[in-house]
């Protein structure tokens, strides 16, 4: 137990140590001025720009947003077609048939929105070709889009031109995602993750039975799945599968990759807006929330399930149902909290089977969507809350709120307010509809209070673009495929457009000179106000649902 | 910078470009390199018999029901490696509680000499993947008396065998101590013969 705690502390220290250098690298990678990186990537990128028809010119916020939304829409259509026709396309050694329309709709949106909610099982639902030019392709362009948008957003806050979407997308891939995924993908294979195009093999077991063993090009898939905060598994049970996570070192690396971009963005931001201290304040605020949530979850999960504990077995391992022996309770809980904080959605244990308070914490991470959050999208959320915190503080002392020397006025606050209200509306509204009709409530597999949590978790995971699930839910039906598809799409693109609008609006404003009366946003006081704002807004919105779901289950165990 | 960025051409061209780069070139390059320098691992860490038949994978658990072998964890998919998964029971789910009670009854019947208080919870719970190749060392030691009484191999020998097959924490720090049931049973089979 003490060893486990030590290993968790060391893991988190490594995460923290990598954040700043990665942030500095991101600033360089997306700098439009000549940098040393141009020597390495320049020639290759020039070629890509030429083939892609990309001009290195600045776009207005409207052009930028339109390019991002349309490009993503085109990719959704493209991949939808691949899924539908995979049965007759090449690279299909398992003879897997074309995907059913609503499932293909759901899956294409799911991967384009960086959600990776999976209503299919990878071993039997997708051909190798679909896994590669469908899923893998989107696992690059989805975080690439998010990284591009967050860079444009921060450029706007810093008072600069937003940049060019296509250039940013290409740079995300050539300078960040592809090189890191390539190297870590090979490391994963060295740790035991398969990387083959050969089909399933049949083994003759020790007891004389036959065992089919599914495999595939998993290593190259796994690295971008974690790095891009995608989270969709090559195989059905994701990183609980021994092939997708063979030992505690591969588990450690997956955690590092999930946290790498989300934790580095505050540092990149601080440098880009010329206020490093503010970047640090944001990082520390999020880290504190993370540590509190992780600690609580560990404490409850190690207590185990009281009903099973009463049956007389040794139970100092904690709750082992739905977990793997090689990870134990400690590494399973750490992974669960990291995957929901970073909105990755990969799992190495079954979240449905987590004890109620741990389930509540994974759910809260996604509802707040600001404890680091997914690559790009999460950090934009944090900045949105920072502006709300500034606005609320301004109201309390009766002064016009300013953020980074720009006045936050009615226009920005209206955009932020609708974006903020949209998330609970999507989650709670869709859950209410699902619970009203048998189409939705028939999917519930665990009776009682837990059933409510299953439904709410599914829509929270969709709206926050996380993608993990309480997987007992029978969710491969037209109702679930279409409803979660819509929730994922709105959850992703609505905020993307409104926040680019905020950035465009702020970029065009005049700088207000800083005076003694200016409310400083780079102090620990501001960090406290920010965390308070996040908790109050989040708690007020979701508290009743959490009481009816996980809290009620906890009290009745 | 007088040129204007066109909208639709780049969308279509860039999409196909990235699809080829990230969807095909990238995984095929990684596959090529991995197959060239570490084919065993890239193929799935398969274990072969002397007749060159595939017995299983070192990483994938196998079903053991013969009381003369060490048993692995509960698997709702019966260790079918063509799929993966488990029931996703809630902690409050009656079906899971009843299944565990049945496992405990079966344990008492098959292991009269080892009380249930010696059995760690991992052995009688369903793993997440349904393919967990490991059990905790305590779960292996708990099965020694049963196996000894059936095979005639002494308790000391079996204990020694287990201690040789315990895999420690990675780097002495990460993860948990565990025993690979398949490799342990292969050695047990050799001993019995």
């Amino acid at each position: 137990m003490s060893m486990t705690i030590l290993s968790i502390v060391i893991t988190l220290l490594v995460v923290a140590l990598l954040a700043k250098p990665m942030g500095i690298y991101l600033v360089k990678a997306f700098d439009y001025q000549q940098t040393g990186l141009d020597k390495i990537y320049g020639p290759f990128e020039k070629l890509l720009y030429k083939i892609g028809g990309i001009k290195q010119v600045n776009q207005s916020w409207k052009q930028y947003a339109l390019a991002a939304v349309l490009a993503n829409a085109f990719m959704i259509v493209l991949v939808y077609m691949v899924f539908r026709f995979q049965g007759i396309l090449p690279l299909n050694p398992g003879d897997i048939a074309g995907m059913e329309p609503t499932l293909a709709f759901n899956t294409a949106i799911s991967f384009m929105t960086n959600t990776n909610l999976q209503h299919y099982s990878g071993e039997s639902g997708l051909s190798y070709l679909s896994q590669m030019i469908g899923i893998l392709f989107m696992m690059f362009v989805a975080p690439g889009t998010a990284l591009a948008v967050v860079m444009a957003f921060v450029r706007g806050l810093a008072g600069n031109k937003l940049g060019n979407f296509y250039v940013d997308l290409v740079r995300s891939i050539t300078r960040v995602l592809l090189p890191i995924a390539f190297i870590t993908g090979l490391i994963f294979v060295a740790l035991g993750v398969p990387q083959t195009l050969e089909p399933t093999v049949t083994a003759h077991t020790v007891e004389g039975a036959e065992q089919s063993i599914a495999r595939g090009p998993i290593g190259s898939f796994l690295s971008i799945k974690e790095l891009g905060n995608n989270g969709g598994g090559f195989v059905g049970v994701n990183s609980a599968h021994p092939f997708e996570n063979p030992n505690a070192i591969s588990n450690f690396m997956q955690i590092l990759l999930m946290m790498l971009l989300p934790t580095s963005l505050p540092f990149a931001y601080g440098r880009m807006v010329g206020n490093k201290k503010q970047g640090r304040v944001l990082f520390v605020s999020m880290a504190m929330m993370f540590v509190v949530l992780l600690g609580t979850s560990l404490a409850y999960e190690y207590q185990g399930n009281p009903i099973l504990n009463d049956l007389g077995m040794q139970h100092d391992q904690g709750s082992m149902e739905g977990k793997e022996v090689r990870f134990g309770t400690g590494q399973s809980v750490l992974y669960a909290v990291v995957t929901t904080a970073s909105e990755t959605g990969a799992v190495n244990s079954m979240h449905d089977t987590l004890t109620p308070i741990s389930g509540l914490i994974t759910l809260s991470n996604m509802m707040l969507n600001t404890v680091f959050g997914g690559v790009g999208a999460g950090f934009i959320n944090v900045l949105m809350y920072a502006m709300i915190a500034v606005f609320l503080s301004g109201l309390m002392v009766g002064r016009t709120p300013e953020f980074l020397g720009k006045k936050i006025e009615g226009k920005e606050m209206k955009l932020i307010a609708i974006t903020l209200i949209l998330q609970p509306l999507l989650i709670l509204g869709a859950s209410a509809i699902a619970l009203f009709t048998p189409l939705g409530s028939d999917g519930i597999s665990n009776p009682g209070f837990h059933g409510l949590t299953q439904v709410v978790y599914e829509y929270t995971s969709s709206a926050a673009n996380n993608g993990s699930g309480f997987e007992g839910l029978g969710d491969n039906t037209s109702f679930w495929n279409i409803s979660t598809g819509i929730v994922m799409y709105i959850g992703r693109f609505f905020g993307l457009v409104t926040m680019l609008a905020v950035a465009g609006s702020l970029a065009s404003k005049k700088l207000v000179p800083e005076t003694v009366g200016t409310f400083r946003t780079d102090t620990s006081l501001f960090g406290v106000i920010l965390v308070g704002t996040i908790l109050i807004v989040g708690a007020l919105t979701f508290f009743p649902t959490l009481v009816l779901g996980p809290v009620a289950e906890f009290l009745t165990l | 910078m007088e040129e204007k960025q066109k909208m639709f051409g780049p969308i279509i061209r860039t999409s196909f470009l990235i699809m080829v780069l990230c969807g095909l070139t990238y995984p095929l390059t990684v596959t090529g390199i991995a197959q060239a320098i570490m084919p065993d691992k890239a193929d799935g860490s398969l274990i072969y018999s002397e007749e060159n038949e595939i017995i299983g994978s070192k990483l994938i658990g196998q079903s053991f029901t013969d009381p003369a072998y060490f048993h692995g964890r509960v698997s709702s998919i019966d260790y079918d490696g063509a799929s993966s998964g488990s029931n996703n029971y809630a902690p409050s789910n009656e079906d899971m509680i009843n299944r565990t009670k049945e496992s405990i009854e079966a344990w008492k019947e098959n292991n009269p000499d080892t009380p249930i208080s010696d059995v760690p919870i991992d052995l009688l719970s369903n793993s997440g993947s349904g393919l967990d190749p490991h059990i905790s060392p305590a779960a292996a030691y708990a099965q020694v008396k049963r196996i000894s009484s059936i095979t005639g191999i002494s308790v000391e020998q079996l204990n020694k065998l287990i201690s040789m097959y315990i895999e420690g924490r990675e780097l002495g720090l990460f993860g948990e101590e565990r025993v690979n049931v398949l490799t342990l049973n292969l050695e047990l089979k050799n001993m019995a013969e």
Side-chain angles (χ1 to χ4, degrees):
Chain A
M1 176 85 177
S2 56
M3 269 311 227
T4 309
I5 301 296
L6 182 66
S7 73
I8 290 174
V9 171
I10 289 179
T11 308
L12 297 182
L13 282 178
V14 177
V15 167
L17 283 177
L18 287 174
K20 193 174 154 187
M22 188 63 202
I24 295 171
Y25 178 78
L26 283 181
V27 175
K28 256 195 192 167
F30 288 92
D31 193 342
Y32 281 18
Q33 309 294 328
Q34 196 80 22
T35 65
L37 294 177
D38 290 325
K39 282 199 192 103
I40 310 170
Y41 301 110
F44 180 54
E45 283 167 354
K46 279 214 182 87
L47 181 71
L48 296 183
Y49 295 152
K50 202 170 171 206
I51 305 173
I54 298 166
K55 306 273 189 303
Q56 299 185 57
V57 292
N58 282 306
Q59 293 173 304
S60 69
W61 80 261
K62 279 180 190 158
Q63 291 168 331
Y64 200 103
L66 194 65
V69 172
L70 285 181
N72 281 200
F74 177 71
M75 291 165 185
I76 290 174
V77 174
L78 201 61
V79 170
Y80 174 85
M81 297 309 247
V82 172
F83 291 155
R84 295 282 286 132
F85 294 109
Q86 62 178 356
I88 50 172
L89 289 169
L91 263 177
N92 183 12
D95 267 333
I96 289 161
M99 215 182 228
E100 178 268 318
T102 64
L103 184 58
F105 167 82
N106 183 281
T107 309
I109 289 182
S110 170
F111 280 84
M112 192 67 253
T113 57
N114 212 337
T115 312
N116 296 213
L117 197 69
Q118 296 172 291
H119 288 175
Y120 64 93
S121 192
E123 296 97 323
S124 53
L126 289 177
S127 71
Y128 285 170
L129 185 80
S130 293
Q131 291 271 26
M132 295 197 314
I133 68 167
I135 303 286
L136 199 52
F137 161 60
M138 281 188 155
M139 281 185 162
F140 279 95
V141 284
T145 300
L147 207 49
V149 170
V150 74
M151 285 299 158
F153 182 69
V154 176
R155 283 182 198 129
L157 292 187
N160 297 326
K161 293 223 158 72
L162 296 196
N164 181 299
F165 170 71
Y166 304 102
V167 172
D168 289 338
L169 176 63
V170 168
R171 285 189 177 193
S172 304
I173 289 168
T174 52
R175 300 187 173 194
V176 181
L177 301 172
L178 205 49
I180 301 177
F182 181 76
I183 295 165
T184 51
L186 282 171
I187 297 176
F188 278 127
V189 181
L191 291 168
V193 178
Q195 181 74 30
T196 175
L197 294 174
E198 297 294 318
T200 303
V201 284
T202 303
H204 299 272
T205 68
V206 177
E207 289 200 338
E210 285 196 347
Q211 184 187 34
S212 301
I213 300 176
R215 44 192 190 155
I218 307 180
S220 54
F221 191 96
L222 182 57
S223 55
I224 188 63
K225 159 183 133 183
E226 309 292 6
L227 173 66
N229 297 144
N230 291 295
F234 190 92
V235 292
V237 278
N238 214 300
S239 285
H241 196 292
F243 275 164
E244 212 157 312
N245 200 353
N247 55 50
I249 296 293
S250 62
N251 197 61
F252 167 73
M253 278 195 36
Q254 295 186 19
I255 287 169
L256 292 191
L257 285 176
M258 281 193 263
M259 293 300 267
L260 185 62
L261 292 173
T263 54
S264 66
L265 281 169
F267 292 99
Y269 161 81
R271 279 169 172 71
M272 286 170 76
V273 299
N275 189 343
K276 292 182 193 170
K277 206 174 158 210
Q278 188 176 33
R280 278 202 299 275
V281 168
L282 293 176
F283 175 82
V284 172
S285 307
M286 292 190 271
M288 305 238 281
M289 287 194 284
F290 178 88
V291 168
V292 170
L293 291 168
L294 175 66
T296 314
S297 187
L298 277 170
Y300 280 98
E301 203 64 16
Y302 265 111
Q303 285 177 15
N305 182 345
I307 300 178
L308 294 183
N309 292 352
D310 287 345
L311 297 177
M313 298 167 285
Q314 280 177 22
H315 52 78
D316 48 350
Q317 290 166 302
S319 169
M320 283 305 287
E321 176 80 16
K323 294 193 181 66
E324 303 287 296
V325 167
R326 59 194 181 283
F327 308 132
T329 297
Q331 294 298 334
S332 300
V333 169
L334 175 62
Y335 202 99
V337 176
V338 165
T339 194
T340 47
S342 66
E343 303 304 349
T344 305
V347 298
N348 80 351
S349 68
M350 297 300 104
H351 286 196
D352 217 342
T353 315
L354 289 172
T355 56
I357 299 297
S358 293
L360 179 145
I361 282 175
T362 55
L363 199 50
S364 309
N365 263 338
M366 296 189 293
M367 286 169 168
L368 298 176
N369 201 2
T370 47
V371 189
F372 294 112
V375 44
F379 190 64
I380 291 178
N381 250 339
V382 174
L383 289 175
M384 184 175 90
Y385 270 100
M387 286 185 239
I388 296 171
V390 165
F391 187 73
L392 292 178
S393 315
L395 284 184
M396 283 189 268
V397 295
R399 188 179 292 135
T400 316
E402 292 157 20
F403 189 67
L404 297 170
K406 303 279 176 106
K407 281 200 174 109
I408 308 273
E409 291 169 302
K411 186 183 172 195
E412 292 80 36
M413 277 320 292
K414 275 182 205 154
L415 287 165
I416 289 173
I418 38 173
T419 313
L420 188 72
I421 293 170
L422 185 76
Q423 204 210 10
L425 195 69
L426 278 176
I427 295 172
L428 300 175
S431 299
I433 294 170
L435 290 165
F436 257 122
T437 68
L439 287 173
S441 56
D442 281 354
I444 292 172
S445 70
N446 284 304
F449 301 116
H450 195 89
L452 172 68
T453 319
Q454 279 189 308
V455 171
V456 174
Y457 195 103
E458 183 78 0
Y459 286 116
T460 308
S461 180
S462 302
N465 297 141
N466 176 285
S468 66
F470 271 21
E471 290 297 343
L473 189 72
D475 51 18
N476 183 15
T477 65
S478 303
F479 173 80
W480 286 105
N481 286 339
I482 294 171
S483 67
T484 53
I486 295 169
V487 170
M488 287 188 281
Y489 192 85
I490 301 175
R492 175 73 161 188
F493 291 105
F494 188 84
L496 184 150
V497 174
T498 53
M499 288 301 114
L500 279 175
V502 170
S505 164
L506 287 179
S508 62
K509 286 191 184 186
K510 282 208 183 82
L511 269 179
V512 185
E514 199 170 299
T515 64
V516 266
T518 307
F519 177 60
R520 297 191 66 90
T521 53
D522 55 4
T523 58
S524 43
L525 172 68
F526 179 70
V528 173
I529 294 176
L530 173 65
V531 172
T533 308
I534 292 173
L535 291 182
I536 290 168
V537 173
L540 283 181
T541 321
F542 292 110
F543 193 63
T545 323
L546 293 176
V547 168
L548 283 173
V551 174
E553 190 188 9
F554 170 69
L555 292 174
T556 49
L557 266 188
Chain B
M1 295 239 180
E2 292 301 310
E3 301 166 283
K4 231 174 116 51
Q5 175 72 64
K6 288 203 185 75
M7 194 55 84
F8 295 102
I11 288 180
I12 297 166
R13 286 155 67 175
T14 311
S15 296
F16 280 105
L17 182 66
I18 298 175
M19 187 182 253
V20 171
L21 180 67
C22 299
L24 286 174
T25 316
Y26 159 68
L28 294 179
T29 312
V30 175
T31 308
I33 297 174
Q35 287 287 345
I37 59 177
M38 39 199 169
D40 285 351
K41 284 175 171 161
D43 279 342
S45 307
L46 301 172
I47 302 175
Y48 292 87
S49 67
E50 281 160 13
E51 296 83 41
N52 216 17
E53 239 186 15
I54 298 168
I55 300 175
S57 163
K58 189 176 179 299
L59 295 175
I60 303 290
Q62 244 174 46
S63 170
F64 286 98
T65 49
D66 185 339
Y69 283 122
F70 288 97
H71 293 178
R73 303 183 63 194
V74 179
S75 166
S76 59
I77 54 168
D78 199 23
Y79 289 96
D80 174 12
S83 61
S84 57
S86 50
N87 302 95
N88 284 288
Y89 285 134
S92 53
N93 195 307
E94 286 293 327
D95 294 341
M96 180 204 39
I97 295 156
N98 289 333
R99 189 208 69 214
T100 313
K101 283 181 181 160
E102 281 166 24
S103 298
I104 290 174
E105 287 314 310
W107 176 271
K108 286 178 180 162
E109 202 170 299
N110 298 326
N111 301 272
D113 302 326
T114 313
I116 194 70
S117 56
D118 285 355
V119 181
I121 200 163
D122 66 288
L123 191 57
L124 302 186
S125 54
N126 202 137
S127 65
S129 62
L131 300 170
D132 195 342
H134 299 113
I135 51 177
S136 63
Y141 286 122
Q143 303 184 53
V144 160
K145 280 184 185 161
R146 179 192 76 224
I147 295 169
S148 172
S149 70
I150 294 171
T151 59
I153 302 171
S154 75
V155 168
E156 289 72 35
Q157 269 180 300
L158 287 170
N159 282 341
K160 204 175 148 209
L161 174 72
I162 293 172
S163 66
M164 275 167 24
Y165 274 78
I166 292 178
E167 297 169 27
R169 293 161 182 266
E170 260 88 19
L171 307 179
L173 188 66
F174 294 100
E176 304 288 333
E177 285 196 336
R178 59 209 186 278
V179 179
N180 186 311
V181 181
L182 175 58
T183 52
L184 182 68
N185 277 331
L186 282 171
E187 189 57 39
L188 179 65
K189 195 179 174 190
N190 282 341
M191 274 171 82
E193 285 162 3

